[in-house]
Amino acid sequence: MIRETADAPAKRIVRPCIHCGEPTDSDTEQPAEEIFCCNGCRGAYELIHGWGLEGFYGLRDQLASGPASRVNAQASRYEVFDNAEFLGPSVPTEQADGLMRCELAVHGLHCAACAWLIENAAIRTPGWNVARVKMSDHTLQVIFDPTQTALSKIAGLLDRLGYELAPISKQRDQHFQNESRRHLIQIAIAGFFAANAMWIAVALYAGEAYGVAAEHRFFLRMIGTALGVAAVLLPGRTFFVGAIASMRNRVPHMDLPVALGLSVGTIVGTINAITGKGHLYFDSLAILVFLLLIGRWIQFHQQHRAAKAVDLLLRITPRHANRVDERNETSTVLVDALQIGDVIRVGGNESLPADGEVVQGESMIDRSLLTGESVPEGVQPGDRVLAGTINLQRVIDVRVEAIGDDSRIGKVMRSVEDATNQKTPIVQFADSVGGVFVVVVSLLAIASFLWWMPSGWSVAASHATSLLIVACPCALALATPLAIAVSLGRAAKHKVLIRDGNTLQQLARGGRIWFDKTGTLTSGRPDAELISGHWDAVQLAAVVEQECQHPVAEAIKRLASRSPKEIQIDSYELTAVHRNGVVGQVNQQAVLVGNLALMDQHHIMISDSTMEAIDRCTDESASPILIAVNGLIEAIVAISDPLRPHVASTIASLRHRGWKIGILSGDHPAIVQHVASRVGIDIDEAHGAMSPEEKLFTVQRDSESDEDSTTVMIGDGANDAAALAAADVGIAVRGGAEVSLQAAPVFIASGDIQDIDHLMQSARRTNWLIRTAFAVSLTYNLVAVGLAMMGRISPLIAAVLMPISSVSVLALTLAWPTYPSSLGNAGLWDKTTEGKTP
């Protein structure tokens, strides 16, 4: 294990920024309200308090949504927001009152507190009349007076608050909107019929108790029956459509007995209403249609959420680019307007909008979003770069070779959609049992009708109706969605978000789990440790690196903040940035910070002790960074990616439950195998240097090879998106690209990897709950059907008994402990390996 050579001083500690919560170096005596990670957060904090909106912080904390977005201290110029070509579909339109209206995408929203802050900021900004935040799709509607302010000023103001605006995509799911509106209209109509039918029923019941004139009774019976018939024929026709389709396709469906029961109830109830004899069912029919339609609308929304296609490419690549013309001047254009051969300019800490070849400049590229490689890669003229990766250091010019769907990230996104569309949905246990139940109940109802026909048509119809009512598949239909809904809700309380119930059914079977490494098993944030040399050299290196945005530079700066003493800095200069490191001067001393190749380039002598320290780093799968001062190696720093807490314990527990565990990573194979050995994964199951396509192939192969087990992929980057979608179950952990969350049905929002084990336990408990609920419901229905066929239950008693099975399933579900209450599995792991640096 690599350790520091000196203890950290007590006078400097790391505390959260008061605005965004970013870990920030500070003095122990510094008040908490003065801790800011950057000048941008300081400006946002002062602006919010200047408006008198400090209640934002209290509301945010009350909602437990996490910190605000970190503010960009050097916000880009927003003049492009006054350019119609840049805005595209978001270009403002003029209203009748002369005000301008537009809709923009807003990034950085967390909760209702963010919406509250933005909408109150509009009230306090002259010329900005209205701001309406839509949390469902993270959009902002802006209404402003162009004579008083410009859209660019509004965008700049929100940037100061930590929210970034961007043009919106107009690819709307119109079909979903129309279908949802149709469902809601049907529910509203059914609710109208049900409410009025219930009032009619109350009047009739009261009349039976206190007396009512015969003509009034007949009138109420006919009005109530008309309401019930209308409820069945208008909003309830959807069940008849499903039943007819079921019979045509010869596939039993829950709509079949529902439609049959509604038909018999309607016919018998109408005849009884006209003749004045027998029971009426109009109130029960109307209520049943109303409740079933509500359930269908909820199911429709769940299916839409599971299948909704999001514009993934827009989420992780820039919407615009800086195009360079023949005069070497830049203009901001939409990425869609780029042509092959155009030259674009990409600044430091910016994402590349297209694939291409570097034609000017040298920098470091973070490729982890695509490849999973944790160590940035140096680029120079002639090297190829990809859309979605991040330029970490200096400005580079890139000649465009591919954009949109033709880019590497576009092909990955297309494979995500293909994998999602090709994935065969699980036939749930409820479907198989429910299909048999539908056929059996329908046949028994016909048999009961024929059996009682000798006693008269009215008696036969009454008993058949009783059977269909008391054996209504509501409890069977309720068992699975109710158990899953309760399990999803309890998991959500532990910040484990599950998109659909099929996931729990899949995870209950067991099988194989593939982990990504960077950002999943490890933190994804490089850490630095001093293994040899002097703290003074580390501080000199931090001074040289202070203008660099490279992750290694950030790690060295954090390491320098723990130095036992501070040195006096009189002057410094960053003279060169290479792909292997940086060169600068501090207090008239030449300082080099980089790898062994950089030292060789500058003819720095490497001693045997230095090589031993380098070997110690590589043995621990860490990257050695050398610091040379005035031509001599003064310090060696190890850069590594530390393990997440509780990784070893979680993997041990998963293996104990029968899961096979492996790693699919784009990182170096030696690093991947070292991590595997530290967390208890077999070396043969740890695969490194894998491209997104190779991950996808491996997951698809495992998923197709064994249909009786479940293949799980756990990752957090866009390089994992295709594999997450192709797996039987994809699990995204916090800290990855948003594209992964759209491809995966499970999101571990807590960031605690132990919740993966808790999720597996919850899946098995939910599966047992569903089976138990089915057993209870079927037992009840068997007894009730038997009594109905024997003529022991009248339609009125059947209507009373019908909800009992649903109530029993509800009570059982609420009492069942579907999510583990404990937070660990003590004794299953070696605590000496927890959270240490690989």
Side-chain angles (χ1 to χ4, degrees):
M1 181 65 196
I2 303 171
R3 301 187 182 276
E4 298 176 3
T5 57
D7 295 332
K11 62 181 179 179
R12 294 192 65 82
I13 60 175
V14 176
R15 288 187 287 176
C17 169
I18 192 172
H19 176 72
C20 72
E22 184 78 10
T24 305
D25 294 328
S26 63
D27 294 330
T28 54
E29 299 178 356
Q30 187 175 5
E33 61 271 15
E34 296 180 3
I35 299 176
F36 298 99
C37 64
C38 61
N39 289 330
C41 284
R42 181 187 299 276
Y45 184 84
E46 294 174 351
L47 184 63
I48 291 172
H49 280 71
W51 278 336
L53 297 178
E54 55 271 10
F56 159 74
Y57 296 102
L59 179 60
R60 180 195 68 190
D61 297 339
Q62 181 181 358
L63 294 172
S65 63
S69 300
R70 182 172 182 175
V71 177
N72 184 4
Q74 296 180 347
S76 59
R77 292 163 52 185
Y78 279 91
E79 287 82 359
V80 289
F81 275 82
D82 298 328
N83 186 343
E85 181 182 358
F86 167 77
L87 291 174
S90 291
V91 65
T93 57
E94 187 174 358
Q95 300 184 143
D97 54 5
L99 300 179
M100 305 297 287
R101 177 197 298 267
C102 68
E103 190 174 12
L104 297 158
V106 55
H107 303 285
L109 290 178
H110 294 284
C111 65
C114 298
W116 177 85
L117 177 61
I118 292 175
E119 290 172 358
N120 278 271
I123 298 174
R124 289 160 174 78
T125 304
W128 187 3
N129 295 51
V130 176
R132 294 191 181 96
V133 177
K134 192 175 180 181
M135 292 295 299
S136 59
D137 56 2
H138 286 211
T139 58
L140 171 65
Q141 185 183 88
V142 176
I143 299 177
F144 64 100
D145 186 349
T147 63
Q148 297 187 46
T149 189
L151 189 59
S152 58
K153 293 182 179 179
I154 294 174
L157 175 64
L158 289 179
D159 182 86
R160 291 179 60 191
L161 294 175
Y163 305 103
E164 181 183 356
L165 294 183
I168 199 170
S169 172
K170 276 296 181 184
Q171 295 178 352
R172 304 292 188 182
D173 193 349
Q174 192 64 39
H175 172 72
F176 165 72
Q177 300 292 343
N178 294 338
E179 192 69 14
S180 180
R181 187 180 299 110
R182 186 182 67 82
H183 277 283
L184 291 175
I185 291 174
Q186 287 183 337
I187 291 173
I189 296 173
F192 169 80
F193 289 139
N196 286 279
M198 286 301 297
W199 282 116
I200 298 294
V202 169
L204 284 173
Y205 295 146
E208 291 180 1
Y210 299 101
V212 64
E215 61 272 17
H216 294 162
R217 183 189 301 276
F218 178 79
F219 176 76
L220 291 175
R221 289 163 68 97
M222 294 307 298
I223 293 297
T225 300
L227 290 171
V229 171
V232 171
L233 296 181
L234 295 178
R237 69 180 182 276
T238 182
F239 303 107
F240 292 95
V241 172
I244 293 173
S246 174
M247 291 185 291
R248 284 179 177 174
N249 298 325
R250 299 180 182 179
V251 178
H253 191 271
M254 287 292 184
D255 281 349
L256 189 58
V258 171
L260 191 57
L262 291 175
S263 300
V264 174
T266 301
I267 294 172
V268 174
T270 302
I271 294 175
N272 291 343
I274 295 173
T275 61
K277 300 178 181 179
H279 298 284
L280 304 178
Y281 311 113
F282 61 85
D283 52 341
S284 299
L285 294 175
I287 289 293
L288 184 60
V289 170
F290 176 64
L291 295 178
L292 289 174
L293 285 175
I294 291 177
R296 181 148 299 189
W297 179 77
I298 294 174
Q299 180 185 8
F300 168 75
H301 266 262
Q302 292 297 325
Q303 291 173 344
H304 174 73
R305 288 185 60 193
K308 183 179 179 182
V310 180
D311 188 0
L312 303 177
L313 184 60
L314 178 61
R315 298 276 185 171
I316 60 175
T317 57
R319 187 79 172 96
H320 58 280
N322 294 319
R323 184 166 57 191
V324 183
D325 59 19
E326 297 81 1
R327 295 172 295 180
N328 201 32
E329 296 180 354
T330 61
S331 59
T332 303
V333 298
L334 290 172
V335 172
D336 295 340
L338 291 176
Q339 301 291 328
I340 305 301
D342 285 349
V343 176
I344 57 175
R345 184 159 293 166
V346 184
N349 207 29
E350 291 184 359
S351 180
L352 275 77
D355 292 358
E357 178 185 344
V358 178
V359 295
Q360 183 175 338
E362 292 186 5
S363 187
M364 301 291 290
I365 299 294
D366 180 1
R367 295 166 52 90
S368 61
L369 190 68
L370 275 174
T371 65
E373 178 68 41
S374 58
V375 179
E377 180 182 87
V379 294
Q380 58 187 2
D383 291 339
R384 192 165 185 265
V385 291
L386 302 174
T389 58
I390 301 175
N391 177 25
L392 294 172
Q393 292 181 332
R394 294 190 168 182
V395 175
I396 56 174
D397 288 352
V398 178
R399 181 177 290 109
V400 175
E401 296 179 348
I403 59 174
D405 292 340
D406 295 328
S407 66
R408 174 73 178 277
I409 189 66
K411 294 176 181 177
V412 171
M413 294 306 100
R414 191 158 57 247
S415 65
V416 170
E417 295 178 1
D418 292 343
T420 303
N421 294 331
Q422 294 174 1
K423 185 165 56 177
T424 304
I426 283 190
V427 179
Q428 294 189 6
F429 183 64
D431 293 336
S432 58
V433 175
V436 175
F437 178 82
V438 166
V439 175
V440 170
V441 167
S442 301
L443 293 176
L444 288 177
I446 297 173
S448 180
F449 180 82
L450 296 176
W451 176 265
W452 288 99
M453 270 299 291
S455 300
W457 184 88
S458 179
V459 174
S462 177
H463 292 330
T465 303
S466 298
L467 190 151
L468 287 170
I469 292 176
V470 79
C472 178
C474 294
L476 279 177
L478 181 67
T480 297
L482 182 62
I484 289 176
V486 170
S487 298
L488 299 190
R490 290 173 179 171
K493 290 182 179 179
H494 292 78
K495 298 185 178 180
V496 178
L497 308 181
I498 306 172
R499 196 172 63 192
D500 59 72
N502 277 335
T503 297
L504 295 175
Q505 298 273 285
Q506 291 273 46
L507 294 178
R509 297 190 307 184
R512 173 180 287 278
I513 299 177
W514 289 112
F515 281 92
D516 177 43
K517 182 189 76 70
T518 306
T520 304
L521 295 176
T522 64
S523 67
R525 183 188 186 190
D527 192 20
E529 293 181 281
L530 176 62
I531 63 168
S532 175
H534 308 292
W535 280 103
D536 289 354
V538 175
Q539 292 197 60
L540 293 174
V543 172
V544 174
E545 297 271 20
Q546 64 181 347
E547 295 182 3
C548 298
Q549 301 296 325
H550 195 287
V552 172
E554 297 293 333
I556 292 176
K557 287 183 278 188
R558 290 194 300 271
L559 176 63
S561 68
R562 304 197 297 266
S563 175
K565 65 177 182 178
E566 295 185 7
I567 62 175
Q568 180 67 34
I569 304 299
D570 297 325
S571 63
Y572 75 91
E573 179 184 5
L574 178 64
T575 57
V577 178
H578 302 284
R579 60 193 304 172
N580 296 317
V582 297
V583 178
Q585 285 193 345
V586 182
N587 295 342
Q588 307 303 318
Q589 300 180 84
V591 180
L592 280 76
V593 185
N595 58 20
L596 192 59
L598 180 68
M599 302 300 149
D600 290 340
Q601 292 174 10
H602 289 78
H603 307 291
I604 305 297
M605 183 177 296
I606 307 299
S607 64
D608 293 339
S609 61
T610 299
M611 288 304 304
E612 291 178 1
I614 293 175
D615 292 339
R616 287 164 56 196
C617 288
T618 54
D619 289 342
E620 295 288 343
S621 294
S623 301
I625 297 296
L626 285 66
I627 303 173
V629 181
N630 292 329
L632 298 175
I633 302 295
E634 297 290 349
I636 300 174
V637 173
I639 303 295
S640 59
D641 191 4
L643 288 175
R644 283 177 178 261
H646 313 298
V647 168
S649 65
T650 299
I651 290 176
S653 180
L654 291 172
R655 296 186 65 172
H656 178 72
R657 299 181 192 283
W659 288 94
K660 299 177 182 179
I661 311 295
I663 301 178
L664 301 177
S665 175
D667 218 336
H668 193 280
I671 297 177
V672 174
Q673 291 180 2
H674 178 76
V675 170
S677 65
R678 299 303 299 270
V679 301
I681 297 176
D682 294 338
I683 299 299
D684 294 338
E685 298 293 335
H687 307 286
M690 299 196 74
S691 67
E693 293 80 3
E694 290 172 331
K695 290 185 180 183
L696 173 62
F697 173 78
T698 302
V699 170
Q700 285 180 329
R701 180 196 62 197
D702 290 344
S703 182
E704 295 171 356
S705 63
D706 189 357
E707 296 181 355
D708 295 329
S709 65
T710 298
T711 300
V712 179
M713 179 67 197
I714 304 176
D716 76 330
N719 60 304
D720 305 320
L724 287 169
D728 295 324
V729 176
I731 301 177
V733 298
R734 185 180 63 178
E738 186 173 359
V739 59
S740 294
L741 311 185
Q742 302 296 340
V746 180
F747 176 36
I748 307 296
S750 64
D752 188 352
I753 201 169
Q754 288 185 111
D755 281 327
I756 295 174
D757 184 41
H758 298 160
L759 174 65
M760 303 305 180
Q761 297 181 53
S762 176
R764 293 200 174 186
R765 295 183 183 186
T766 303
N767 188 55
W768 277 107
L769 170 60
I770 293 173
R771 293 176 182 271
T772 305
F774 262 91
V776 171
S777 178
L778 285 175
T779 301
Y780 165 85
N781 278 293
L782 288 175
V783 174
V785 167
L787 293 175
M789 293 188 67
M790 294 166 57
R792 303 295 184 181
I793 299 178
S794 67
L796 181 60
I797 299 299
V800 174
L801 292 178
M802 183 186 70
I804 293 181
S805 60
S806 300
V807 172
S808 62
V809 169
L810 175 61
L812 177 66
T813 302
L814 295 179
W816 198 277
T818 54
Y819 198 87
S821 57
S822 60
L823 293 179
N825 297 297
L828 289 179
W829 67 89
D830 179 9
K831 293 184 179 180
T832 61
T833 63
E834 287 294 309
K836 291 187 178 181
T837 304

